[in-house]
Amino acid sequence: MITPVQSLKECCYSFSPNPSDSHARYPRMQLGRPLDLSGLTTALCVEEAGAWHLYNPETHIPPAKAAVLDVYGQIIACDAPHKMPLDPRLLRLLVDAAAALHGEKTRAIGWQILGVKPNRGRALLSKDLTDLEWPIWHAALNFGLGHSRFEHPDEYFGRS
């Protein structure tokens, strides 16, 4: 139950309709986290390698910080519904970044983290992003840049 003295931020961090219910029924997310570009750095390494299964963190050299910041700037320039990108590269990088930030190693799991079925995600990336809806792009921004995350893997695996 939410008391009048709780702030909105506290509610977002700890809201559960019934505290006795399991995590699987009411996923708990961490919201409002600080920017984390480590996932984007990994996504750029995966892009350079060609695919997740070709990426080896021990042998691939991370891109220069300036390159990561350049891509981050391109992503942030698309921070409103009327500014969403048409190039699928930025969405692909954010999906891979979301997977990396959750300790995962496939784009399919990145889509599950965003609440999108992997087949739908593949279809979105196979052409320009004219069919991309704002909620998907917004989730990709938040999860790919580290501002949101799930507390436990069960919470995004049960969503597909």
Side-chain angles (χ1 to χ4, degrees):
M1 182 171 168
I2 301 171
T3 62
V5 295
Q6 285 181 305
S7 70
L8 178 59
K9 190 171 185 179
E10 288 171 331
C11 294
C12 290
Y13 279 102
S14 64
F15 176 73
S16 178
N18 183 349
S20 65
D21 287 334
S22 70
H23 281 295
R25 185 164 176 208
Y26 296 107
R28 293 176 54 91
M29 291 175 24
Q30 299 169 348
L31 306 172
R33 295 170 50 93
L35 175 67
D36 184 350
L37 293 179
S38 64
L40 186 58
T41 301
T42 300
L44 287 167
C45 287
V46 169
E47 179 181 60
E48 185 179 316
W52 271 101
H53 69 280
L54 299 173
Y55 168 64
N56 181 348
E58 295 177 12
T59 60
H60 282 91
I61 299 169
K65 187 175 182 179
V68 176
L69 292 176
D70 179 54
V71 172
Y72 171 70
Q74 293 172 35
I75 290 169
I76 287 302
C78 304
D79 64 350
H82 65 283
K83 297 181 188 177
M84 289 192 304
L86 292 178
D87 180 6
R89 177 181 183 242
L90 297 179
L91 179 60
R92 185 181 65 247
L93 288 171
L94 287 172
V95 172
D96 287 347
L101 287 172
H102 281 79
E104 303 295 344
K105 294 179 172 59
T106 68
R107 188 171 298 141
I109 294 176
W111 284 116
Q112 288 178 328
I113 290 167
L114 300 181
V116 176
K117 292 186 183 282
N119 287 338
R120 167 85 168 112
R122 279 189 286 279
L124 281 172
L125 293 178
S126 68
K127 54 188 175 191
D128 67 25
L129 297 180
T130 54
D131 292 340
L132 180 64
E133 298 103 11
W134 171 249
I136 294 172
W137 176 250
H138 188 260
L141 281 172
N142 282 301
F143 282 93
L145 297 177
H147 297 303
S148 299
R149 68 176 285 117
F150 287 101
E151 289 182 359
H152 302 286
D154 321 355
E155 296 169 349
Y156 53 85
F157 281 130
R159 297 169 60 104
S160 64

